[in-house]
Amino acid sequence: MAASSDKIEIDVSLVRRLIATQFPQWADLPVRPVRHDGWDNRTFHLGDDLAVRLPSAGSYALQVEKEQRWLPRLAPHLPLPIPAPVAMGRPGENYPWHWSVYRWRNGEIATHAPIADMSAFAVSLAEFLAALQGIDADGGPLSGQHNFFRGGPLTAYDHETRWALAALEGRIDTDMARSVWDAALAAKWMGEPVWFHGDVSSGNLLVENGRLGAVIDFGTSGVGDPACDLSIVWTMFDGESREAFRETLPLDRGTWARGRGWKWKALIVAAEMPGTDRLEVEKSRRVIADVLADHVRYG
């Protein structure tokens, strides 16, 4: 996550100036913020059919050119729509990074939208990820700073995870949690690199008519180990929907073990660093309990 000192003010006025100077053909279109915005990027409506997306910090700016290059190549092979780049903006108006204009996609993010059948939703998402993993990964972006090392070995987060485990001593079953983490580290990825999304969360899934309609925000995508895409199993699904996802996306035990390891962030939140939201702490504790139960059940 970028340091707060790296953040800059991104508002409607800035977007209007950038559009006016770099894409005057759209200068008369109204600009307004989206209702539910993200942290890594700020997104704005541009008229009815376009969206402007600007990285909120330098560490996220590395993702712009990647998405511009690869999203059009991935889209034809996927069963659901993904973001469609229209143009790439350059630094200007005291904004220091490249930015993007996309086609606007209708739909409500799954965090806030009613879902008609959660098991069917889970199956659709698993089918999407299976198709993504099946796309030729030759030349794709390997794990690195551009995606915070998703798709690479979990050792990149070993220090933070062990700090959180020590901080949680006596508050969760840290012996079991260490077993989960150690199992994830031991289950090394031995396959060829495959495409992964990198941030499969309810905020990056669009719902239309109660069903999964699109998958957005490929900023942390890349090629490598797909285990990082399993995190949603323990944050959005449970019971039948969790099993439906697992059965539709059949992966080996090692990949599932690493997938449990990719919930290391839940440990960080549960450790209650200063400023941590209380509701997020409680949510993370529930996620940790589910991950531990999954480890006991499946090993």
Side-chain angles (χ1 to χ4, degrees):
M1 189 171 289
S4 59
S5 61
D6 197 22
K7 291 275 180 180
I8 65 170
E9 185 68 27
I10 301 171
D11 55 19
V12 167
S13 174
L14 171 63
V15 176
R16 285 176 177 154
R17 295 197 308 274
L18 287 169
I19 292 295
T21 56
Q22 298 186 31
F23 302 106
Q25 69 271 30
W26 298 322
D28 292 334
L29 296 177
V31 176
R32 64 189 191 279
V34 298
R35 184 166 24 154
H36 301 295
D37 211 351
W39 175 265
D40 300 2
N41 295 269
R42 297 293 313 281
T43 303
F44 298 81
H45 293 273
L46 178 61
D48 294 327
D49 301 320
L50 300 172
V52 179
R53 191 163 182 261
L54 302 96
S56 61
S59 53
Y60 308 128
L62 299 173
Q63 302 166 0
V64 173
E65 292 182 66
K66 175 181 65 177
E67 289 187 298
Q68 290 275 338
R69 176 183 179 186
W70 288 104
L71 289 180
R73 303 187 191 191
L74 297 176
H77 305 286
L78 295 169
L80 293 169
I82 63 175
V86 176
M88 182 168 70
R90 61 186 184 276
E93 303 298 318
N94 293 318
Y95 179 79
W97 308 300
H98 285 86
W99 49 281
S100 295
V101 179
Y102 288 95
R103 294 288 175 202
W104 176 257
R105 284 220 56 83
N106 290 322
E108 186 78 10
I109 60 173
T111 309
H112 303 287
I115 296 171
D117 183 330
M118 189 61 81
S119 292
F121 190 95
V123 168
S124 294
L125 178 58
E127 290 173 344
F128 176 90
L129 293 176
L132 180 63
Q133 292 171 18
I135 299 173
D136 182 5
D138 187 43
L142 296 170
S143 173
Q145 190 61 56
H146 68 96
N147 67 355
F148 306 100
F149 304 100
R150 287 172 172 84
L154 279 160
T155 49
Y157 297 101
D158 189 49
H159 177 75
E160 290 173 84
T161 301
R162 296 197 186 279
W163 169 86
L165 286 168
L168 288 167
E169 197 74 52
R171 290 189 276 168
I172 67 168
D173 186 344
T174 48
D175 287 341
M176 178 66 74
R178 284 192 183 89
S179 295
V180 172
W181 182 246
D182 290 339
L185 293 178
K188 299 185 186 303
W189 171 252
M190 303 300 289
E192 293 295 319
V194 299
W195 277 99
F196 58 84
H197 178 276
D199 189 14
V200 184
S201 64
S202 60
N204 290 330
L205 305 175
L206 294 185
V207 177
E208 295 183 81
N209 300 317
R211 294 191 288 264
L212 180 60
V215 180
I216 60 174
D217 194 351
F218 280 69
T220 53
S221 64
V223 300
D225 176 8
C228 57
D229 279 349
L230 300 181
S231 292
I232 196 163
V233 171
W234 300 285
T235 55
M236 186 172 182
F237 304 135
D238 59 19
E240 291 182 6
S241 60
R242 188 175 291 165
E243 288 305 310
F245 182 95
R246 187 187 290 271
E247 290 172 8
T248 307
L249 189 63
L251 297 168
D252 62 274
R253 279 182 63 184
T255 302
W256 281 103
R258 292 190 305 279
R260 288 190 287 270
W262 274 101
K263 290 313 302 173
W264 62 271
K265 270 192 175 179
L267 296 171
I268 301 293
V269 175
E272 300 182 64
M273 294 175 66
T276 304
D277 182 85
R278 191 71 221 165
L279 291 177
E280 291 300 316
V281 170
E282 293 303 319
K283 185 189 301 183
S284 291
R285 286 176 178 264
R286 290 193 296 271
V287 168
I288 291 167
D290 281 353
V291 170
L292 298 189
D294 195 86
H295 176 69
V296 171
R297 181 175 181 182
Y298 294 103

